[in-house]
Amino acid sequence: MSNEENLQRIRKLKKTTDNPYLNFYEMDVVDTKGKPGSYYMVTRSRKTEEMKLFTRKNRADGVVIYALYGDKQDQVVLIRQYRYSIGDYIYEFPAGLVDEGEDFHQAGIRELKEETGLDFHPLPVDSIYSRPYFTTIGMTDEACAAVYGTATGSVSKEGLEDTEEIEVVLADRTEIRRILREEHVSLMCAYMMMHFLHSESETAFDFLKG
């Protein structure tokens, strides 16, 4: 199907909230048999015309930071953060939204500093590893890009906002194994932790080659 034909399956779009970071939309849609129905989604786009279904451009709304720490690069920089959606703490990678006028590489450097106090040194990688990919596509058009590199410096909470309850965790392979067995972990973070768990320190970034 063409883009125009795909859009014709969405008969009506109604914005029902007006929030700064996330908004809810109701859709009147038709299925593959032409039967009408309803669909619901949220988006990071501030304006309806900026939604990806109209722009057809997959820009990065957010960035996820995969950073190794230590002289031997044998620790992964994680955060343990309180999330209202589950009323509990969860292990994640440092991450955040890309500000207007900022590319996601710059956002990665800024966000790691704000959330952990550490300095991020990104690696240049092929775009297949670092272009924006969609997150929970069943309910949102949000896309995030991953950046990879090393972190140096000392952990600090000076850059945190009052709304952020974050503990920085420099996890070695023993701690990663415990976290995966016992703790709440975001899916994207869990997959990369599993990858690191079964790699050698000196080859931890080898998957980014080729």
Side-chain angles (χ1 to χ4, degrees):
M1 284 188 178
S2 67
N3 289 339
E4 185 176 343
E5 289 173 321
N6 286 330
L7 281 174
Q8 286 177 355
R9 295 180 60 180
I10 302 170
R11 298 296 171 83
K12 186 178 180 181
L13 187 67
K14 180 182 178 183
K15 184 180 181 184
T16 63
T17 60
D18 191 19
N19 300 315
Y21 301 113
L22 196 65
N23 281 289
F24 186 85
Y25 278 81
E26 296 179 1
M27 291 180 174
D28 291 341
V29 301
V30 293
D31 65 17
T32 56
K33 302 295 185 181
K35 181 180 178 180
S38 299
Y39 197 86
Y40 307 94
M41 66 168 287
V42 293
T43 181
R44 296 283 188 189
S45 301
R46 290 183 171 87
K47 299 178 181 178
T48 300
E49 60 269 23
E50 295 174 353
M51 294 172 67
K52 294 182 176 70
L53 66 89
F54 293 119
T55 67
R56 317 307 289 181
K57 294 179 180 179
N58 185 15
R59 60 176 175 77
D61 300 291
V63 62
V64 179
I65 305 148
Y66 179 67
L68 301 186
Y69 185 83
D71 293 338
K72 296 181 180 179
Q73 297 181 11
D74 57 354
Q75 296 171 297
V76 178
V77 181
L78 305 175
I79 58 172
R80 180 177 179 266
Q81 182 167 199
Y82 181 85
R83 291 293 194 180
Y84 292 112
S85 55
I86 59 171
D88 206 346
Y89 293 86
I90 186 168
Y91 284 80
E92 305 173 71
F93 283 133
L97 297 179
V98 178
D99 288 343
E100 188 172 349
E102 183 179 55
D103 69 35
F104 62 82
H105 301 93
Q106 295 168 329
I109 295 170
R110 174 182 55 75
E111 284 289 347
L112 193 74
K113 190 67 174 181
E114 291 175 359
E115 292 193 351
T116 72
L118 300 173
D119 297 310
F120 184 56
H121 310 282
L123 293 173
V125 300
D126 191 288
S127 63
I128 67 170
Y129 302 108
S130 199
R131 72 182 183 90
Y133 288 104
F134 291 103
T135 54
T136 311
I137 194 61
M139 66 179 182
T140 179
D141 65 349
E142 180 190 59
C144 290
V147 290
Y148 310 86
T150 58
T152 58
S154 300
V155 171
S156 170
K157 292 188 175 183
E158 291 184 5
L160 293 180
E161 299 177 4
D162 293 340
T163 56
E164 295 177 310
E165 190 174 344
I166 290 175
E167 172 192 353
V168 180
V169 179
L170 303 176
D172 61 14
R173 286 173 174 81
T174 299
E175 178 63 2
I176 284 175
R177 191 178 295 275
R178 185 199 69 79
I179 292 169
L180 287 171
R181 288 187 185 278
E182 302 176 7
E183 304 287 353
H184 295 308
V185 187
S186 71
L187 183 63
M188 186 182 304
C189 182
Y191 280 147
M192 292 303 295
M193 288 167 68
M194 293 172 196
H195 172 85
F196 181 74
L197 189 62
H198 295 285
S199 67
E200 299 294 333
S201 295
E202 61 270 17
T203 62
F205 288 123
D206 276 3
F207 71 97
L208 298 172
K209 299 175 182 178

